[in-house]
Each structure stands twice: as structure tokens, then as C-alpha cells.
Amino acid sequence: MSVMEHDLHRTGPHLFGLFLIYLLTFFGAARADDEIRRRAETWIAEGRYEEARAELLLYAESVPGTDAAREARFRAAGLERDGEAYRAALEGLLAEKEDARVRLALARYRYALGAYEGAAEDFDLAANHLAEAERADALCWRGASLIASGRVDRGLDILLRVARGEGTPAERARFLAAQIQLREGEAGRAAETAAPLLEGSNDFVLPALHLRAKALLASGRVEEARAAFTEVIDRAPGSAESVEARLGLGAAEQAERAAGGNGYYIQIASFSDGENARRYLEDRRAEGVGALSLAVVQEGDKTLHKVRIGPFADEEEAERARERLAGQGLEGHVVREDGE
């Protein structure tokens, strides 16, 4: 037997033994991974989040530097109840390796906290590494983040570009864009943007119909607005949209009664800054105050943005409404349509 043959004969069983150990270790790790995953999922279903999180972190420590470890740490971060610790865990994962899914989670967290500038940047970074549908969704939320941070024109432009696509992200972008247009006083454009959502079946049909009703009312097309508000109520009587639609329907009916003459309003605030006025109006609307509108009035060299409720058919009706609002903690005074 040659020296080479002798060495092969001697080392062959040893190499086979190492290979066998490798296989056993690999399949054992896979089985352990599956077992940990099943155990963690069971505990999550039972609400035992801390135990599930600890189990995932323990597993991550046992296989450091692997994709499985990163996955376990990411899942454990999702179970973290402390916000700062959650953010730190996500940033730690990103420091090791750029990951679109982790970046997206961080963007959503920042958006929820109101850190809109940071959220917009993270949504943009995530979008660069996502597939088409997920990319559109990330860009949609980037647009919303920019708008929330005050960069309305830029955010609206992104939303309208995403809206040209198809699927849920495009539908969401279209609806958000229409909302912003209505808020900015562009009722006609808002109705036009929302119109495609009223066709076919999607998650935004009812909200879009309600938005269209508000746009019609803002444009002075009272009869059409009444019909649209009524349709919202008929379609989903117990929905949040139907509750708001009833307020809108009341405003439309008041506008009809006041048609043909000067109406009366309850003025509840006045601002020199239009954005502050719109923000105040939206806050009151979120509190359930209905029939709100914004009047822009020139007084000498000053432009005032007046937030008001109405119109009411006559001064007596407006005064009764003012007293009811005062009893609810919302002060105001009655004015004629011309703001006097």
C-alpha cells in the first residue's frame, strides 16, 4: 500500500465521522429551531410575550451571526413592550446589515410616535429594497409622513404618483391625496381624485363616498351632498362614516334652509394663519363637532381665517345652538354670513 493510499485509508473514516457529526448538528439545529419557533408561537398565542421573547433571544445567542439569529432577534424585538428598547433593537439590526423589513418596522414606529421627518427618510430607504407592491406601500406612507411634517406639496406629489398604480397601496394613496386636497380647500380636485375609488370593490369605497359628500357640500352643491351623505348612512348604518355623515347631512339641511338669504353662523375661532385655522378645524371635527367651515375674510390690511359652525336659518336657531355648544365647553358668538 502506498503512503497516499495508507493516509486515505486512515483519514477516510475520520472525515466521514466529521461529516456525520455535521449532519447530525445541522438537522439537530433545524429541529431545535422548529421547536423554539413552535414554542414561541404557542406562548404568543397565549399572551405569554415575555417568555416567548426570552426564548427567541436565547436561541439567537446560540447561533450568533446567522440569518436564523437575526430572524429570532427581529421577532423578539416585535414582542418588546418598551418603545426605546424596541427602537434600539431595530437600529442594532440595521447597524449590522441593511434590511428592508427592519427599516420598514422602524419607519412605522417613528410615524406612530409623530417623528415624521425620520419616518419619511426610513420609508424612502425601505422602498429602495422592496418589491413593487411593498415599495408602493412604503412610498405611500412616505408621502403621508412628509405631509404630516408640513411638506404638503412634496408629500401630495408622491401620493398622486403612487395612485397611478394598482392594488391597495394605490387606492390608499388616492384616498389620502383626496383628503389632503379637501383639507387644502381644493374640493373639486378632491372629488375628482376620489372618484375612481367609487367604482368596483375596494376598502375605500365608503370613506371615498363620504369624502365626496363633504367635497360637494364645500363646493355649494348641497342637494348632491345630501344624497351622498344619505347613501353613506344607508350603506353602513353603524359605521364611523355614517356617524359623521349624519353630521354632514345636518349641515346640508341647514345650508338648504339658509339658501336664498344670508345665513347665520357660530364663530368659534379666528386666525391670521390659514394652516393654524385648518388644524384647529380638523381637531374640532375629530372631537365630533359637525357643520364646520372656514371663512377667509379681509379686514383692512389683514386676512383672517374664521372657523365657524352653520349655517342656521335664523338668528334664534343659531343662538340656541350657541348655548348648547357653550354648555359643552365650546364658546363662540353668532355672526351673519358676511362675518359681521
Side-chain angles (χ1 to χ4, degrees):
M1 181 183 292
S2 67
V3 174
M4 183 177 292
E5 287 173 333
H6 176 73
D7 288 342
L8 285 173
H9 177 74
R10 187 176 58 180
T11 60
H14 177 64
L15 289 173
F16 178 76
L18 289 176
F19 182 63
L20 181 60
I21 291 170
Y22 169 78
L23 285 177
L24 289 173
T25 303
F26 176 82
F27 287 115
R31 284 196 297 272
D33 187 14
D34 289 341
E35 180 61 29
I36 289 170
R37 184 180 294 109
R38 283 194 297 270
R39 189 157 54 237
E41 287 174 354
T42 298
W43 286 346
I44 291 170
E46 294 174 356
R48 298 161 63 183
Y49 303 120
E50 285 303 315
E51 292 172 82
R53 178 174 165 274
E55 185 75 7
L56 289 165
L57 289 175
L58 185 63
Y59 172 70
E61 290 175 4
S62 71
V63 286
T66 64
D67 289 341
R70 285 180 58 81
E71 175 66 21
R73 287 167 58 200
F74 178 68
R75 295 186 68 191
L79 299 173
E80 176 62 67
R81 295 190 176 187
D82 181 270
E84 279 302 300
Y86 175 64
R87 178 191 58 76
L90 295 177
E91 290 180 343
L93 288 167
L94 288 171
E96 297 171 4
K97 178 183 178 182
E98 184 62 37
D99 185 318
R101 184 177 54 164
V102 178
R103 181 70 68 180
L104 204 55
L106 183 59
R108 287 171 175 154
Y109 174 71
R110 285 182 168 151
Y111 186 91
L113 282 187
Y116 300 119
E117 288 282 358
E121 182 178 348
D122 282 328
F123 279 125
D124 189 34
L125 289 171
N128 293 332
H129 302 281
L130 291 169
E132 188 173 350
E134 292 176 318
R135 181 174 185 275
D137 192 50
L139 288 175
C140 175
W141 286 109
R142 179 177 184 241
S145 301
L146 289 170
I147 290 168
S149 70
R151 297 163 66 184
V152 177
D153 290 342
R154 177 62 179 147
L156 185 57
D157 179 62
I158 291 172
L159 290 177
L160 290 173
R161 281 194 283 113
V162 175
R164 298 191 195 111
E166 297 180 354
T168 300
E171 292 161 356
R172 180 183 293 113
R174 182 174 291 281
F175 179 70
L176 291 174
Q179 278 189 316
I180 299 306
Q181 288 169 336
L182 182 59
R183 191 191 76 181
E184 294 297 302
E186 300 179 6
R189 285 189 64 196
E192 182 179 341
T193 298
L197 296 172
L198 302 176
E199 304 169 2
S201 176
N202 61 77
D203 293 337
F204 298 92
V205 172
L206 194 65
L209 181 60
H210 183 227
L211 186 147
R212 179 173 176 270
K214 292 191 291 185
L216 288 168
L217 185 60
S219 301
R221 297 160 65 179
V222 179
E223 288 188 17
E224 294 174 77
R226 280 196 62 184
F229 282 129
T230 301
E231 187 176 350
V232 172
I233 296 167
D234 291 343
R235 282 196 185 194
S239 67
E241 286 85 2
S242 72
V243 174
E244 290 189 24
R246 291 183 187 279
L247 296 174
L249 187 59
E253 290 170 348
Q254 290 171 357
E256 281 187 327
R257 288 198 300 271
N262 289 333
Y264 289 82
Y265 293 83
I266 302 168
Q267 184 174 305
I268 58 173
S270 180
F271 299 85
S272 58
D273 183 88
E275 184 58 34
N276 287 340
R278 281 189 288 272
R279 190 176 297 114
Y280 177 85
L281 184 150
E282 290 300 326
D283 288 345
R284 301 293 78 73
R285 184 171 285 158
E287 292 171 358
V289 179
L292 285 160
S293 62
L294 187 61
V296 181
V297 179
Q298 194 70 31
E299 294 185 359
D301 59 350
K302 294 182 179 179
T303 300
L304 298 178
H305 301 78
K306 301 186 177 185
V307 181
R308 58 191 193 176
I309 301 171
F312 299 89
D314 52 50
E315 189 172 4
E316 289 74 17
E317 183 182 359
E319 185 59 34
R320 287 194 296 272
R322 186 200 64 76
E323 291 175 358
R324 287 197 300 273
L325 288 170
Q328 298 169 11
L330 186 60
E331 297 292 339
H333 63 278
V334 176
V335 296
R336 290 288 295 274
E337 188 172 24
D338 57 9
E340 296 177 355

